[in-house]
Each structure stands twice: as C-alpha cells, then as structure tokens.
C-alpha cells in the first residue's frame, strides 16, 4: 500500500481488513446482544460546580461481550445505527435508565443520550412516554441529550418531536456543544434546558487562553438564553477552578467520578447522604 498522499487509490492493509472483519462480526453479534442482556448501563455523576453537590447521573451504554470483554459505545452505537437496531437499543437504554433513577433520591436526574436516528423516528415521543410509564419515573427527572448534528436537519419532523418531548415534561440538553456545525439558529427556536460544553474545550482551558475565552463565551451564551451550562470532561482541579470562576453551573468528569456500574451507585449515594 502507498503512503497517504494526494488522492491516490487507497489499498487495503492487513490492519484495515482486520478492523473490517471485527466490525462485521460485531455487527452480526450485536443483533443478539440486547436479547442476551449483554448491554448494560454505566452511570457517571453530575455535580454542581460550586459546592460539588450531586445532581444526577448520565447513563452511558456498555456492551459486555462474552469473549471480547467490555466494548464502548463509540464502537457499537454506529453498528446499532447501521444495522437498524438503534431504536430497540434506545428503548432498552431509556427504560433501564429510568428504572435505575427510580431507586435514587428524587431530586436526582438521569441523562440519556439519543442518536440522531432516534430523533427522526416519529414514534420517539411515544417510546419515551412508554419508558416513563413502565418505570414509573417522573418525567422531570429524565433529561435527553441530543447532539447539534441531530438538530441540523431542521425538518418539521425534528421540530415536532422536540415539541412533543417538551409536552411530556422531560428535559432537553444539547450535547457536545461547540463541536457540531453550530448553526446557532436552533438554540432559541427550541427550548433546551441545558447546554453541555464538549470535553475538547474543557481539556484545553487550563493551557489555552483561546479555549478559555470560548468556554466563557459559551457560558455567557447559555446564561443569556436562560440555559443551564454543564462542562464535561473535567479531569483536573485547575480546570474545575477555571470553570467555577467562569460561572459554569455543573460539571462532569474523571476528576469527580468515572462512569460506574449500577452496583456502585448505591454506595456513592450512601456516602453523599452521610456528608
Ligand atoms: P458523550 O455523551 O459525550 O459522553 C461522555 C463521554 O465522555 C463518555 O464516553 C464518558 O465516559 C467520557 N468521559 C466522561 N468524563 C470524562 C473525562 O473526564 N475525560 C474524558 N476523556 N472522557 C470522559 P463513553 O461512555 O465512551 O461514551 C461515548 C459516547 O457514546 C457518548 O459521548 C455518547 O455520544 C455515546 N453514547 C453512550 N451511551 C449511549 C446511549 O445509550 N445511546 C446513544 N445513542 N449514545 C450513547
Ligand atoms: Ca452525553
Ligand atoms: Ca458529550
Ligand atoms: Ca460525544
């Protein structure tokens, strides 16, 4: 194979065919993963920036593969999307997340990620409603995280879906803010409760003046539009302090808590209750 250059034919390397083979096998195997209950949720805590009070958890899907071990969502969500399984996976995640949240103190929310494909499904509001009813969770405790890409197609369909979700009483958050194609027009058109600053900004704020300026501007934008702002990917005290000074509302990241299996949430809640 030739080294990368300008627009020449791309040949298969052994690594590429190995990756394709793994991808193809995983797509086959994922067909049964849901039924075999191999998909599970991890939960990452969300905190107030100031006093570090616990506010809730984000549900993050994992695939416990019987042979390959734990597989992350960046690998299997695209397979589920391509293989037509994303709605089934989405229903499962919604219900499991709501069911878990029902066991927590009722001032804590659960945040659930939605694929753009789920947003295009006309039955999405019904599916969310079904998960709430089946679990018994109050709608205001569920927050749905959507990426900017999902909003890019300003079709009547997406608009109607967001309106219907609002009517249900669930919260809406914009995920990975600042990484998409940032047509800011959707920001005021739909009422999002929360804006999540992407971790690519958080990663740079302590080292880069520019990243800090952009982050401050995003926090200001959120405040001006009446949205709460959460910064994800907080890994150091320095980043946390900068976010505090910038007036960021909430934070999430390895510094404060890694995504954890549901079994570890109870002990965390018990520790929080004691302090
Ligand atoms: P996301 O929604 O942006 O989730 C945050 C990701 O950042 C998670 O990766 C989390 O483990 C990671 N993270 C949290 N704190 C830190 C930190 O301090 N530093 C760094 N470097 N990373 C941190 P994860 O769990 O691998 O999820 C990756 C993406 O997969 C998520 O990004 C989300 O877009 C998607 N995803 C996860 N679960 C689901 C799901 O149930 N449904 C859908 N549709 N997508 C999901
Ligand atoms: Ca998210
Ligand atoms: Ca994110
Ligand atoms: Ca992401």
């Amino acid at each position: 194979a030739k080294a990368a250059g300008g627009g020449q034919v791309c040949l298969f390397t052994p690594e590429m065919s190995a990756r394709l083979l793994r991808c193809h096998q995983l797509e086959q195997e994922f067909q049964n993963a849901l039924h075999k209950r191999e998909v599970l949720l991890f939960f990452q805590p969300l905190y107030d920036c100031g006093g570090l009070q616990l506010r809730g958890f984000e549900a993050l899907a994992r695939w416990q593969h019987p042979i390959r071990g734990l597989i992350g969502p960046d690998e299997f969500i695209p397979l589920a999307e391509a293989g037509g399984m994303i709605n089934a996976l989405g229903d499962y995640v919604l219900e499991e997340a709501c069911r878990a949240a029902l066991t927590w103190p009722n001032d804590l929310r659960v945040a659930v990620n939605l694929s753009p494909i789920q947003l295009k499904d006309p039955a999405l509001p019904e599916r969310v409603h079904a998960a709430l009813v089946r679990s018994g969770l109050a709608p205001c405790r569920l927050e749905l995280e959507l990426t900017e890409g999902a909003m890019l197609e300003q079709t009547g369909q997406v608009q109607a879906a967001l309106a219907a979700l609002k009517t249900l009483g669930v919260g809406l958050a914009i995920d990975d803010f600042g990484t998409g194609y940032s047509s800011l027009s959707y920001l005021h058109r739909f009422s999002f409760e929360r804006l999540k600053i992407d971790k690519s900004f958080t990663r740079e704020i302590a080292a880069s003046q520019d990243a800090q300026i952009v982050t401050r501007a995003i926090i200001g934008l959120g405040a001006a539009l009446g949205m709460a702002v959460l910064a994800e990917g907080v890994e150091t005290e320095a980043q946390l302090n900068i976010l505090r000074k910038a007036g960021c509302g909430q934070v999430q990241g390895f510094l404060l808590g890694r995504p954890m299996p549901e079994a570890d949430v109870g002990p965390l809640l018990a520790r929080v209750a004691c302090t």
Side-chain angles (χ1 to χ4, degrees):
K2 262 173 79 179
Q8 84 282 32
V9 178
C10 179
L11 298 175
F12 267 27
T13 62
E15 306 90 80
M16 281 167 73
S17 31
R19 211 183 316 143
L20 267 175
L21 185 64
R22 172 176 162 106
C23 192
H24 183 71
Q25 285 172 345
L26 285 180
E27 187 170 338
Q28 299 290 307
E29 291 166 0
F30 191 76
Q31 306 269 357
N32 302 312
L34 276 179
H35 303 113
K36 288 160 77 183
R37 296 225 139 221
E38 290 169 6
V39 177
L40 55 143
L41 295 185
F42 272 33
F43 295 92
Q44 186 177 29
L46 314 169
Y47 293 93
D48 273 342
C49 201
L52 295 184
Q53 197 183 357
L54 183 67
R55 289 304 185 188
F57 293 87
E58 176 175 2
L60 295 160
R62 302 285 182 266
W63 177 9
Q64 182 65 67
H65 191 285
I67 297 153
R68 299 174 202 261
L70 213 56
I71 299 177
D74 284 333
E75 190 164 13
F76 71 82
I77 297 283
L79 301 181
E81 289 175 340
M85 296 162 284
I86 191 68
N87 281 323
L89 173 66
D91 285 352
Y92 175 82
V93 168
L94 276 165
E95 194 167 336
E96 287 295 295
C98 291
R99 194 193 47 68
L102 199 68
T103 67
W104 310 337
N106 60 20
D107 57 339
L108 299 181
R109 71 176 184 274
V110 66
V112 172
N113 294 285
L114 292 189
S115 154
I117 294 173
Q118 288 175 272
L119 197 61
K120 288 200 196 104
D121 173 17
L124 176 69
E126 263 168 65
R127 289 169 180 272
V128 172
H129 181 66
L132 289 165
V133 169
R134 277 198 292 264
S135 63
L137 190 76
C140 62
R141 295 185 57 197
L142 174 64
E143 190 165 276
L144 303 174
E145 299 193 355
L146 306 162
T147 53
E148 292 173 275
M151 256 81 70
L152 200 61
E153 296 162 63
Q154 302 258 346
T155 57
Q157 156 73 57
V158 165
Q159 208 148 335
L162 293 173
L165 291 170
K166 284 238 75 102
T167 307
L168 283 181
V170 301
L172 299 177
I174 301 172
D175 206 354
D176 300 351
F177 187 78
T179 61
Y181 308 89
S182 288
S183 151
L184 292 174
S185 61
Y186 67 84
L187 265 187
H188 65 92
R189 200 162 318 157
F190 310 121
S191 47
F192 289 91
E193 277 75 32
R194 200 180 312 279
L195 209 156
K196 294 188 79 172
I197 300 179
D198 190 69
K199 53 181 178 285
S200 59
F201 295 103
T202 309
R203 192 191 307 133
E204 305 295 329
I205 45 171
S208 148
Q209 192 64 32
D210 286 351
Q212 207 175 120
I213 288 166
V214 172
T215 302
R216 282 180 182 276
I218 296 175
I219 292 168
L221 182 68
L225 291 170
M227 285 184 282
V229 176
L230 180 149
E232 58 179 31
V234 178
E235 294 184 354
T236 68
E237 291 285 350
Q239 291 164 349
L240 179 62
N241 285 330
I242 291 165
L243 289 164
R244 276 188 177 132
K245 282 190 204 125
C248 184
Q250 296 188 358
V251 282
Q252 165 182 13
F254 294 166
L255 175 71
L256 306 148
R258 293 196 170 246
M260 62 188 83
E262 198 183 346
D264 292 354
V265 171
L268 173 70
L269 293 175
R271 281 201 305 279
V272 168
C274 290
T275 53

